[in-house]
Amino acid sequence: MGTSRLRGKITFGDFAFDVDGLRLFRHGTVQALQPSPAAMLRALLARQGEVVTREELSAAMWPGGETLDHGHAIEKCAHKLRAVLGDTGPQRRYLQTVARRGYCFTASAYHSAVAPAAAAAWTRLAVVAPPAAAAAAEMAADALGMRLPTVAVMAPEVGQGEGGQAWAQSRGLRADYVLAGRWRAAGKEADPGAAGWDVAPAGMRLFAARDGTLLWEQEERGGGDWVASLARAMNVPVRPPLGAHAGVSATARPAYLRARWYLRRRNGPDMRRALEEFERAIAADPQCAPAYAGAATCQWILAYWGLAPARAAIRKARHAAKQSLELAPRLAEPYLALAQAGFLLAGEWPGARRYFRAALARNPSYAVAHHHYGRWLVARGEASRGLAENARALLLDRGSAPFSGGRVYLLMCAGRIGEALAVGRRATAAHPHRLAARLHFGTLCGYLGRTEDAVAQHERAVEIAHGMAYAKAALAESYARAGRRPQARALLVELEAVAEDTYANGAAVALAYAALGQVDQALARLDRSIAVRDPTAAFLAVDPRFHALAAAPGFAPLLERVKQWIAFAGGTAQAPDHEL
């Protein structure tokens, strides 16, 4: 939003800023703020959450070019503005300097007509949308003032019907509003396989979550006007975007939405397509911070799944994440990429934890960050905290196969086998075509000696994953446990050909060797996996499948290396909660 369109009073923290009169108040008292720093504040508030370059600040502050040394003058104004705001400590609350570029106003600010206390009463929106429409739905919610920490998007696996069904299935999210109905893409209804991308709603209905009362409906496609109509129904203004998708320009939007759709599908080929589309969005608009963030996410996932050489992919993830944060310091997604990169590449658990917390501080409803933070907490022996993080992820995105499937494995590591079985059955029934559900439930079945069930689950997982090495390693372990030695050996030969620094579910490969009676090869494979920071090896201390190797000479030093790597804080793998 340009400064010419910014009017009225803006509140942030203890302050209120009169945009028209360039006056700053604190608790109702006028503060001594000179005209130039006040003009700088107005320019930054007009583009809250974005980097405003020195050239742009100069044009906004001195439109007539009254001063020649604009760079020095802007620095002086920033110093005076921080002094008045009390923003002089090492941790900036309001004004962030972006090296060699400019400044960014990072705190939450509101028009006085919608003050924080009033906005908080009705700000949690549950959107029922197919994956093709999810990013557009999030962007629309953001425009309505539903900040991303208060937005939950439910995929159709949770329920895509209108009326009572959608309302009932959203109640666990403790939403204030539920937006449900049909979404259209490129002139037809959107679905997970739709070829259209830039979506808008048709036949949308807004319900009060507390009782299912219909508050608003639109039977025909309304184009860009539907957001304004919905805003009037919710009694909120349409605001400039400040959330995860802020800064997506019209030129970058088509490729960006395609990328987000591919990213949500969570399989190898689509992950590569997502990365290509994010790169197209960046080429269309090099200032598109969310596209850099998305590219960083793709890179660390490709490394995590063994679909790209780990070190190269993680370095690219770090680079893209830092570029994103230079453009938009308040985004949460780049911090998750830095957390994963710091842990996987450098083995820096304290640094990774700091980045996880930074991501969640910026977006407390970032379900993916809760999920992965929970995984690493479980790996380092903090099972209760880790499972609590996973539960938060599921509360925020109840239709997520990775979160429910991943919970099966975390419960197994915590020794809660009966609960893990129940969750696994529900996950595979609800998500029969999703990798995470099949993969983790199959691992649990193998550990429990239900080898044929494990083989069936992992064979299906390999099909879903299009032959991904990560899934093949799980199948090799199941074949070995089931006594299918030729099939297990054939897969192990294939997996040993994977590049040295590529993750390939090294833990499952080692366990396959152990089930074949080749203990030395099992320990050698674990040694290699730990050396390259294969994420599956991080669970060595808590995964009960490794009990079979615990007595082997050479296992204890490997376990000690893992504990040092992850700054282990707990005990060893838990005993099962009961015999089955």
Side-chain angles (χ1 to χ4, degrees):
M1 179 187 294
T3 56
S4 62
R5 296 176 58 193
L6 195 65
R7 294 288 183 267
K9 281 190 177 180
I10 305 294
T11 61
F12 56 92
D14 297 332
F15 297 94
F17 182 63
D18 178 359
V19 176
D20 302 305
L22 291 181
R23 294 184 301 168
L24 181 68
F25 298 84
R26 184 178 186 185
H27 300 306
T29 302
V30 178
Q31 304 297 297
L33 185 63
Q34 296 174 348
S36 292
M40 182 179 189
L41 178 58
R42 179 175 61 184
L44 292 168
L45 284 171
R47 293 174 54 187
Q48 181 189 172
E50 301 178 26
V51 177
V52 185
T53 67
R54 289 179 172 83
E55 292 77 12
E56 291 168 332
L57 286 170
S58 176
M61 294 164 66
W62 302 289
E66 293 92 338
T67 182
L68 296 177
D69 188 4
H70 286 179
H72 180 65
I74 289 171
E75 289 180 6
K76 289 180 63 177
C77 288
H79 177 76
K80 292 177 181 178
L81 181 57
R82 284 186 172 125
V84 173
L85 296 175
D87 197 21
T88 56
Q91 299 294 326
R92 304 295 192 196
R93 293 182 58 200
Y94 302 114
L95 187 59
Q96 182 77 35
T97 301
V98 181
R100 300 183 299 279
R101 288 184 54 78
Y103 296 87
C104 177
F105 191 90
T106 57
S108 296
Y110 306 81
H111 281 86
S112 58
V114 187
W122 287 88
T123 54
R124 189 174 180 86
L125 179 67
V127 181
V128 181
E138 289 173 345
M139 294 172 78
D142 196 33
L144 294 168
M146 304 292 152
R147 298 296 178 242
L148 212 52
T150 63
V151 174
V153 174
M154 299 185 295
E157 291 162 312
V158 177
Q160 58 182 345
E162 299 181 37
Q165 182 186 9
W167 165 69
Q169 291 174 328
S170 71
R171 284 183 294 178
L173 294 171
R174 297 194 297 273
D176 296 306
Y177 292 109
V178 181
L179 183 63
R182 300 186 306 277
W183 291 77
R184 291 187 181 273
K188 60 182 179 180
E189 290 192 17
D191 60 58
W197 311 102
D198 201 357
V199 297
M204 301 303 293
R205 295 183 180 181
L206 180 72
F207 299 91
R210 63 181 181 271
D211 56 12
T213 300
L214 178 64
L215 302 175
W216 171 84
E217 63 180 330
Q218 177 176 285
E219 292 301 331
E220 300 296 332
R221 181 173 180 174
D225 293 335
W226 78 272
V227 175
S229 299
L230 184 56
R232 287 192 293 271
M234 299 172 72
N235 195 28
V236 296
V238 178
R239 307 178 184 181
L242 299 175
H245 308 294
V248 180
S249 65
T251 55
R253 179 184 171 96
Y256 178 79
L257 290 177
R258 286 196 295 270
R260 287 291 172 190
W261 182 74
Y262 281 128
L263 181 59
R264 289 178 70 92
R265 288 170 66 84
R266 284 296 198 270
N267 63 58
D270 284 330
M271 195 59 58
R272 292 191 179 95
R273 293 186 187 107
L275 179 58
E276 291 172 0
E277 294 296 341
F278 279 127
E279 290 172 345
R280 287 192 180 97
I282 292 167
D285 180 5
Q287 304 301 309
C288 185
Y292 287 104
T297 296
C298 290
Q299 291 286 5
W300 74 254
I301 291 177
L302 288 170
Y304 191 97
W305 285 351
L307 295 171
R311 290 186 177 275
I314 293 172
R315 287 194 184 101
K316 291 176 182 177
R318 273 182 161 172
H319 180 66
K322 290 177 180 178
Q323 286 180 295
S324 177
L325 289 173
E326 285 183 4
L327 294 167
R330 295 298 299 172
L331 288 182
E333 187 176 10
Y335 282 102
L336 176 58
L338 290 172
Q340 298 287 58
F343 182 80
L344 298 176
L345 183 63
E348 299 169 350
W349 170 254
R353 179 172 53 190
R354 182 171 65 253
Y355 286 130
F356 275 127
R357 289 176 174 174
L360 292 171
R362 283 156 178 78
N363 182 2
S365 287
Y366 193 3
V368 177
H370 281 293
H371 171 66
H372 285 284
Y373 188 31
R375 282 181 57 81
W376 297 129
L377 287 170
V378 170
R380 67 190 303 266
E382 298 183 66
S384 296
R385 290 184 61 201
L387 286 167
E389 291 293 334
N390 173 262
R392 290 189 186 99
L394 282 167
L395 179 64
L396 292 163
D397 190 349
R398 297 167 64 202
S400 171
F403 304 162
S404 55
R407 187 168 184 82
V408 176
Y409 180 69
L410 300 184
L411 288 166
M412 183 183 80
C413 291
R416 292 159 58 173
I417 304 301
E419 189 177 349
L421 268 173
V423 173
R425 292 189 185 107
R426 289 197 300 269
T428 52
H431 312 291
H433 307 297
R434 301 301 296 272
L435 174 62
R438 297 285 189 178
L439 194 66
H440 295 301
F441 188 51
T443 296
L444 174 64
C445 290
Y447 167 63
L448 294 175
R450 303 178 181 184
T451 54
E452 292 306 316
D453 289 339
V455 167
Q457 294 291 338
H458 285 156
E459 285 180 337
R460 182 68 183 113
V462 170
E463 293 176 10
I464 294 169
H466 302 279
M468 188 168 65
Y470 193 104
K472 286 184 176 180
L475 180 57
E477 179 191 353
S478 291
Y479 278 152
R481 289 180 181 274
R484 301 189 188 185
R485 302 173 74 86
Q487 294 100 316
R489 289 197 177 102
L491 282 175
L492 289 172
V493 169
E494 185 179 340
L495 291 165
E496 289 297 349
V498 174
E500 184 72 23
D501 70 336
T502 299
Y503 303 147
N505 197 349
V509 173
L511 288 164
Y513 279 123
L516 292 172
Q518 299 173 255
V519 175
D520 289 343
Q521 288 92 329
L523 296 176
R525 183 62 195 220
L526 279 178
D527 179 72
R528 286 171 51 192
S529 299
I530 296 167
V532 299
R533 298 292 190 257
D534 186 321
T536 60
F539 291 82
L540 197 65
V542 297
D543 189 329
R545 295 178 296 166
F546 287 104
H547 285 161
L549 284 172
F555 180 79
L558 295 176
L559 180 60
E560 189 57 34
R561 281 170 58 193
V562 169
K563 288 183 175 181
Q564 292 177 1
W565 164 25
I566 64 175
F568 190 67
T572 56
Q574 302 294 308
D577 50 4
H578 61 275
E579 295 297 326
L580 295 168

